Amino acid sequence: MIVCLAAVGCAPSDDADPDINLQWEITPNPPSAGMAQLDFTLRDSTEQLIKGAEVKLEGNMSHPGMQPVLTTAEEIAPGKYSANIKFTMGGDWFILVKSTLADGREVRKQIEIAGVRSEK
Ligand SMILES: [Cu+2]
């Protein structure tokens, strides 16, 4: 665990924060190009549900030249969040999950969603 002293030399990182546990599920599974629903649960290192986070999602693909897909998740039950995301094409996606916790900390996690099917 990296502890930041003051505001000096503290670079933001996209690495997973070991304090936060993110479990997710996508519907439909596997997803196709178009709308999908991403449900996830946030817990801290002591398995407590993380309530009241503001969660923004940024969907990107592994190849350059695409517009990121932005969406905001809603807390549907304590510690449980849901978002609708539009996969604008088939292929391999990764979704950056940016959570601002109730105490103001920002935690980033990335989830990989490979093999989104192309539209028929
Ligand atoms: Cu693409």
Side-chain angles (χ1 to χ4, degrees):
M1 183 163 144
I2 296 163
V3 178
C4 285
L5 299 171
V8 182
C10 192
S13 164
D14 283 349
D15 290 346
D17 186 319
D19 284 334
I20 299 291
N21 180 306
L22 184 156
Q23 271 183 303
W24 59 274
E25 195 177 308
I26 192 129
T27 313
N29 187 11
S32 304
M35 295 305 295
Q37 184 180 327
L38 183 69
D39 291 300
F40 54 96
T41 304
L42 296 178
R43 292 176 201 271
D44 66 15
S45 54
T46 62
E47 292 295 309
Q48 296 292 312
L49 290 162
I50 296 175
K51 301 169 203 164
E54 267 181 50
V55 188
K56 293 195 168 153
L57 309 179
E58 182 185 314
N60 284 288
M61 292 190 76
S62 47
H63 65 92
M66 294 219 12
Q67 285 277 100
V69 175
L70 304 173
T71 185
T72 304
E74 228 185 290
E75 189 171 13
I76 52 169
K80 294 185 191 285
Y81 300 82
S82 180
N84 293 312
I85 187 155
K86 186 175 188 187
F87 294 114
T88 48
M89 62 181 281
D92 294 336
W93 285 77
F94 55 94
I95 298 178
L96 183 61
V97 180
K98 291 187 261 191
S99 309
T100 306
L101 308 188
D103 63 7
R105 280 186 303 156
E106 191 180 281
V107 181
R108 291 170 175 232
K109 297 287 268 188
Q110 188 170 296
I111 63 184
E112 317 267 336
I113 301 181
V116 172
R117 291 192 284 199
S118 299
E119 280 169 302
K120 286 167 200 163

